[in-house]
Amino acid sequence: MEPHDDKTPLRPRGRGIYLLPNLFTTGGLFGGFFAIIAASQGRIEAACVAIFIAGILDGIDGRVARLTNTQTEFGVQYDSLADLVSFGMAPALVMYHWSLASMKLDGITPGRLGWLAAFLYAACAALRLARFNSQVAHVDKRWFIGLASPAAAGLLASFVWTCHSLGLDGTDLRYPVLGVTVLAGLLMVSRVRYTSFKGGSGPKSDRVPFFALLVAVAVLVALVLDPPKVLLAVTALYALSGPVMWLRRGKGTSPPQAPVA
């Protein structure tokens, strides 16, 4: 092998790999955008599936960035903006087009409550992401404070998907839908603590307990049988786990400099 000539410029290495995590983020953004379009066209099941696909891609992009050592501030901010679309705007508009828009049948004021509830959810998702970005340097990765926006989006999407698969009309369920939408939004900005299923910070932060792996396998098997109902059960149990643990602690407060997600 001939020695390298010092006058020959070195080809930059590794720059192209930065595209990889951002491609996953873009895929998640596309999933959220597609969900909005599909919901406006009445394709409710496709919209719900798109939100879950966006959630899967959102979980992959950060791990790919860490695995390939391609974390950048641009990637962090891009991921946050994509999350606002996929887990803020998309679920809110799915709920609105499927059910909340029909509240105008009860009069002008209920009609306004319908779109205001959808806006409240989207605003809470934005506030949650802003809170996370402002405190990201002080987080304890073992916990989320407030329901994570992908989990909240999954709760709404699985709720709509299950009702749709059972032949239930969103118009008839408009008031329960209003309650679920508002509750999911408020849980995102609450101080209720949720487990992140991570062992802590550092290089091993992406590792999970062995029991969590067994639960994940069981959920995957159940998904084959009835995806919407299983997803609704999983997301609802997770959403309720925070308030239940909070009540069991005797309504205790979160520790100082509590983490967010």
Side-chain angles (χ1 to χ4, degrees), residues 134-157:
S134 65
Q135 300 181 13
V136 67
H138 306 286
V139 298
D140 181 348
K141 292 188 177 181
R142 296 174 299 172
W143 306 101
F144 297 147
I145 294 301
L147 185 62
S149 56
L155 175 62
L156 297 191

Side-chain angles (χ1 to χ4, degrees), residues 27-36 38-39 44-59 83 85-95 121 149-158 160-161 231:
L29 176 61
F30 176 79
F33 179 79
F34 179 84
I36 294 172
I44 300 302
E45 183 174 345
C48 295
V49 172
I51 290 176
F52 278 106
I53 292 176
I56 293 173
L57 295 175
D58 178 68
D83 286 353
V85 174
S86 299
F87 310 127
M89 296 300 299
L93 291 174
V94 167
M95 300 300 273
Y121 176 88
S149 56
L155 175 62
L156 297 191
S158 60
V160 174
W161 192 3
L231 289 171

Side-chain angles (χ1 to χ4, degrees), residues 86-145:
S86 299
F87 310 127
M89 296 300 299
L93 291 174
V94 167
M95 300 300 273
Y96 179 77
H97 287 298
W98 180 66
S99 178
L100 295 177
S102 63
M103 292 193 67
K104 63 185 178 182
L105 299 175
D106 299 325
I108 296 178
T109 300
R112 291 173 178 172
L113 287 177
W115 64 261
L116 282 173
F119 170 75
L120 174 66
Y121 176 88
C124 288
L127 290 170
R128 177 164 182 57
L129 291 167
R131 186 175 68 178
F132 172 71
N133 289 343
S134 65
Q135 300 181 13
V136 67
H138 306 286
V139 298
D140 181 348
K141 292 188 177 181
R142 296 174 299 172
W143 306 101
F144 297 147
I145 294 301

Side-chain angles (χ1 to χ4, degrees), residues 3-260:
H4 176 74
D5 186 358
D6 292 339
K7 296 182 180 179
T8 303
L10 292 174
R11 178 180 298 178
R13 300 180 60 185
R15 295 181 63 87
I17 202 171
Y18 288 86
L19 179 64
L20 186 58
N22 290 326
L23 278 178
F24 284 102
T25 304
T26 302
L29 176 61
F30 176 79
F33 179 79
F34 179 84
I36 294 172
I37 299 299
S40 68
Q41 297 174 343
R43 301 163 58 193
I44 300 302
E45 183 174 345
C48 295
V49 172
I51 290 176
F52 278 106
I53 292 176
I56 293 173
L57 295 175
D58 178 68
I60 292 175
D61 60 0
R63 287 169 172 79
V64 169
R66 289 188 290 272
L67 181 64
T68 56
N69 195 26
T70 55
Q71 308 100 311
T72 63
E73 182 62 24
F74 171 83
V76 171
Q77 299 304 324
Y78 183 38
D79 180 72
S80 181
L81 293 172
D83 286 353
L84 178 57
V85 174
S86 299
F87 310 127
M89 296 300 299
L93 291 174
V94 167
M95 300 300 273
Y96 179 77
H97 287 298
W98 180 66
S99 178
L100 295 177
S102 63
M103 292 193 67
K104 63 185 178 182
L105 299 175
D106 299 325
I108 296 178
T109 300
R112 291 173 178 172
L113 287 177
W115 64 261
L116 282 173
F119 170 75
L120 174 66
Y121 176 88
C124 288
L127 290 170
R128 177 164 182 57
L129 291 167
R131 186 175 68 178
F132 172 71
N133 289 343
S134 65
Q135 300 181 13
V136 67
H138 306 286
V139 298
D140 181 348
K141 292 188 177 181
R142 296 174 299 172
W143 306 101
F144 297 147
I145 294 301
L147 185 62
S149 56
L155 175 62
L156 297 191
S158 60
F159 177 80
V160 174
W161 192 3
T162 299
C163 293
H164 183 73
S165 67
L166 295 175
L168 301 176
D169 190 358
T171 301
D172 299 331
L173 297 173
R174 54 188 179 273
Y175 284 100
V177 169
L178 177 71
V180 171
T181 304
V182 172
L183 178 62
L186 295 179
L187 282 176
M188 281 192 289
V189 296
S190 71
R191 303 297 298 177
V192 176
R193 189 167 65 178
Y194 289 85
T195 179
S196 68
F197 301 105
K198 295 181 180 180
S201 58
K204 299 181 180 180
S205 61
D206 285 334
R207 296 187 179 183
V208 297
F210 181 73
F211 176 75
L213 179 60
L214 294 178
V215 172
V217 171
V219 170
L220 288 175
V221 172
L223 280 174
V224 177
L225 302 177
D226 196 335
K229 293 179 183 177
V230 172
L231 289 171
L232 177 59
V234 171
T235 55
L237 287 174
Y238 182 71
L240 292 173
S241 67
V244 169
M245 289 191 297
W246 178 70
L247 290 173
R248 289 184 62 182
R249 290 194 303 266
K251 299 183 180 181
T253 57
S254 301
Q257 292 185 337
V260 293

